């Protein structure tokens, strides 16, 4: 199989493309780079292919046969023989929460491909071995999904891997698994009932269909007497469930976030991804990080849009006031643009909280009654008023809608 060359991603990662800047040198009509003897997939209307492409000031100025494109060479042109490799346009990721990617790669366990509880534990053990944390340092992992496993892990299994470190493992969406050290940081002791929170043995009243605390029967020594009780295993699902875990890893500082953006850009370019859409600006905070990364020359891929706000049940007046205070929209250039707003209509399929017209399967087993998910705003008139508050200030509308009813509402 031919080696695939992702033209803008790989070449930009090698420093072949950069932001245009004025130069003291005389202007030249010739190309900066010519790539020839390749298989150029143009993705034009006919999906035609060519053998060569010429680039000047970061833009394609010619594509076609070798003889045609090589005419754009000059004395300063760098000419690269592709040796038959395939070139495709750079890929855009249209929905990625990008801020933590670099940090995720450097210091955190990737649980995406774990297909059992044992593989989760192995991934945590590997990242601990790799980063060599000091006692008390947090171990973090991301993207587990309990539906993949015969049995979900417990905090007692994590305790054996990291007896001196708090462990925090994010679910792929709305969930967390922690070890016993995290509970101790919350002041909870298994053998002292006076330290147990109200939710220790019984779910809170505000739990929705997506919320769950995993529990397991364990022998607990209470004031010298042993009892068999169903106590939390350290696994929490849903927005309300996850909020119960109040001891959390420290928030990264501004500098760490900028470095995370830098390393995330390098990772994406290595995969041929040359543009992204970030669906949350964290109420403007993330834009400061992106801007600093841009200022330092780290943003060598295009951030096509960063959505402002994450609006759910907010009043139209609050949305109008917030966006009105910003005074701008569609701010930026070809490499960083702040535009669009984000609204929430429901939860997700994996947490059984998507707003659907037909009940989730196996509701008898999981909820005990038919489950149609969790609508964030079920009043269409109110949702329209929210939308109009954003549109009135010129912001594009984008909506998280996982279920069919949520999608119909948004449309």
């Amino acid at each position: 199989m031919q080696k695939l060359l992702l033209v803008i991603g790989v070449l930009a990662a090698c420093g072949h493309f950069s932001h245009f800047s004025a130069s003291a040198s005389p202007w030249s009509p010739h190309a900066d780079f010519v790539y020839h003897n390749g298989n150029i997939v143009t993705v034009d209307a006919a999906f035609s292919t060519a053998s060569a492409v010429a680039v000047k000031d970061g833009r394609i100025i010619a594509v076609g046969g070798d003889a045609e494109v090589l005419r754009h060479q000059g004395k300063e042109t760098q000419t690269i023989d592709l040796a038959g490799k395939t070139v495709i346009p750079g890929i855009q990721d249209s929905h990625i929460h990008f801020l933590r990617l670099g940090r995720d790669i450097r210091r955190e366990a990737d649980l995406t491909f774990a297909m059992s509880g044992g593989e989760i534990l192995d991934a945590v053990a590997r990242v601990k071995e790799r980063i060599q944390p000091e006692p008390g340092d947090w171990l973090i992992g991301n993207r587990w999904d309990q539906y993949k496993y015969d049995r979900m892990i417990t905090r007692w299994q994590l305790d054996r891997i990291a007896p001196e470190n708090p462990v925090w493992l994010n679910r792929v969406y709305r969930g967390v698994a922690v070890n016993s050290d995290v509970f101790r940081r919350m002041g909870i002791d298994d053998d002292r009932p006076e330290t147990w929170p109200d939710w220790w043995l019984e779910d809170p009243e505000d739990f929705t269909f997506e919320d769950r605390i995993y529990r397991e029967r364990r022998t607990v020594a209470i004031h010298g007497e042993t009892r068999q009780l169903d106590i939390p295993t350290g696994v929490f699902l849903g927005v309300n469930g996850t909020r119960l875990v109040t001891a959390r890893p420290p928030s990264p500082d501004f500098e760490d976030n900028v470095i995370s953006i830098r390393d995330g850009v390098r990772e994406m370019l290595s995969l041929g991804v040359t543009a992204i859409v970030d669906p949350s600006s964290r109420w403007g905070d993330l834009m400061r990080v992106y801007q600093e990364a841009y200022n330092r020359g780290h943003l060598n891929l295009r951030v096509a849009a960063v959505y402002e706000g994450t609006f759910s049940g907010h009043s139209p007046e609050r949305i109008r006031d917030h966006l009105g205070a910003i005074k701008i929209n569609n701010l930026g250039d070809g490499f960083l643009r702040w535009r669009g707003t984000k609204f929430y209509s429901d939860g997700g399929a994996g947490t059984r909280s998507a707003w659907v017209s037909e009940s989730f399967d196996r509701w008898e087993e999981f909820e005990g009654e038919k489950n149609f998910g969790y609508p964030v705003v079920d009043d269409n008139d109110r949702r329209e008023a929210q939308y109009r508050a954003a549109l009135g200030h010129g912001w594009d509308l984008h909506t998280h809608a996982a279920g069919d009813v949520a999608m119909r509402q948004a449309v």
Side-chain angles (χ1 to χ4, degrees):
M1 180 181 292
Q2 282 187 325
K3 183 178 179 181
L4 184 65
L5 175 63
L6 303 176
V7 63
I8 301 181
V10 172
L11 300 179
C14 296
H16 290 176
F17 291 147
S18 62
H19 299 165
F20 173 77
S21 61
S23 172
S25 302
W27 181 83
S28 167
H30 300 116
D32 297 325
F33 303 93
V34 170
Y35 305 89
H36 69 105
N37 189 26
N39 180 41
I40 314 294
V41 181
T42 67
V43 197
D44 61 10
F47 221 87
S48 59
T49 59
S51 62
V53 60
V55 177
K56 183 175 179 59
D57 295 335
R59 294 178 178 274
I60 293 172
I61 60 172
V63 61
D66 280 14
E68 174 189 358
V69 174
L70 286 169
R71 289 201 300 266
H72 291 272
Q73 291 180 106
K75 291 182 179 180
E76 304 299 324
T77 301
Q78 295 188 44
T79 303
I80 295 94
D81 186 343
L82 294 173
K85 296 182 178 69
T86 295
V87 176
I88 69 172
I91 301 166
Q92 173 170 303
D93 189 319
S94 62
H95 186 113
I96 177 171
H97 295 274
F98 192 69
L99 178 62
R100 65 176 302 119
L101 177 60
R103 189 162 49 247
D104 188 338
I105 296 165
R106 292 198 317 269
R107 297 189 54 81
E108 299 175 3
D110 183 4
L111 311 177
T112 307
F113 303 106
M115 296 302 294
S116 68
E119 291 183 7
I120 292 178
L121 299 173
D122 289 344
V124 175
R126 285 195 302 271
V127 80
K128 182 186 177 189
E129 176 65 22
R130 177 163 58 85
I131 68 175
Q132 294 290 308
E134 297 291 333
D137 289 347
W138 287 79
L139 287 174
I140 300 173
N142 302 292
R143 295 175 296 280
W144 56 267
D145 186 341
Q146 77 278 9
Y147 294 115
K148 294 180 179 179
Y149 325 128
D150 291 337
R151 179 180 172 82
M152 185 57 187
I153 61 167
T154 69
R155 59 186 167 104
W156 302 289
Q157 291 172 297
L158 291 171
D159 292 345
R160 289 195 289 272
I161 293 173
E164 297 181 317
N165 301 96
V167 179
W168 180 284
L169 307 179
N170 294 297
R171 189 180 183 276
V172 66
Y173 183 69
R174 292 185 176 179
V176 67
V178 300
N179 67 346
S180 298
D181 189 89
V182 176
F183 282 170
R184 286 192 289 272
R185 289 166 181 258
M186 295 166 62
I188 300 171
D189 186 327
D190 283 317
D191 297 330
R192 295 175 56 207
E194 65 270 19
T195 68
W196 296 350
D198 293 340
W199 47 263
W200 194 250
L201 301 178
E202 186 175 333
D203 289 349
E205 293 183 358
D206 67 349
F207 267 26
T208 67
F209 288 123
E210 73 171 5
D211 297 305
R212 180 182 175 187
I213 300 172
Y214 278 60
R215 295 184 176 87
E216 184 177 296
R217 179 141 295 196
R218 302 280 293 191
T219 300
V220 181
I222 302 175
H223 303 308
E225 292 187 18
T226 59
R227 293 178 60 186
Q228 295 287 314
L229 293 174
D230 294 328
I231 62 174
T233 68
V235 178
F236 298 78
L237 298 182
V239 171
N240 295 321
T242 304
R243 284 173 179 163
L244 299 176
V245 188
T246 54
R248 296 169 176 257
S251 298
D253 62 23
F254 184 79
E255 181 64 20
D256 188 60
N257 282 334
V258 173
I259 298 303
S260 182
I261 293 289
R262 180 200 67 187
D263 293 347
V265 166
R266 292 172 178 172
E267 175 72 8
M268 296 299 264
L269 290 176
S270 75
L271 300 171
V273 180
T274 61
I276 66 167
V277 173
D278 193 314
S280 177
S281 71
R282 298 191 176 188
W283 302 97
D285 285 346
L286 181 50
M287 280 302 301
R288 294 179 56 245
V289 179
Y290 274 128
Q291 184 65 55
E292 182 60 24
Y294 178 99
N295 293 344
R296 297 186 192 182
H298 298 331
L299 212 60
N300 294 318
L301 88 173
R302 299 181 187 276
V303 183
V306 182
Y307 300 162
E308 171 54 23
T310 303
F311 300 114
S312 51
H314 300 79
S315 70
E317 292 75 22
R318 181 177 176 187
I319 295 170
R320 189 177 297 110
D321 290 345
H322 175 74
L323 297 177
I326 296 175
K327 302 294 184 186
I328 53 176
N329 61 68
N330 200 19
L331 176 70
D333 62 12
F335 278 82
L336 177 59
R337 191 165 295 280
W338 192 12
R339 66 176 301 166
T341 54
K342 183 175 182 180
F343 290 82
Y344 259 91
S345 281
D346 60 353
T351 51
R352 301 172 64 86
S353 54
W355 189 11
V356 292
S357 58
E358 298 181 15
S359 176
F360 278 89
D361 194 19
R362 297 168 65 187
W363 56 266
E364 301 94 339
E365 173 185 351
F366 287 105
E367 291 90 23
E369 58 181 298
K370 287 190 174 182
N371 174 15
F372 297 94
Y374 180 68
V376 173
V377 176
D378 58 8
D379 184 325
N380 288 347
D381 291 337
R382 179 177 176 81
R383 176 43 48 104
E384 181 177 342
Q386 291 178 313
Y387 281 163
R388 290 188 180 280
L391 281 171
H393 285 292
W395 291 80
D396 299 340
L397 302 177
H398 303 272
T399 303
H400 167 107
D404 64 312
V405 180
M407 294 177 189
R408 289 190 185 98
Q409 183 192 63
V411 171

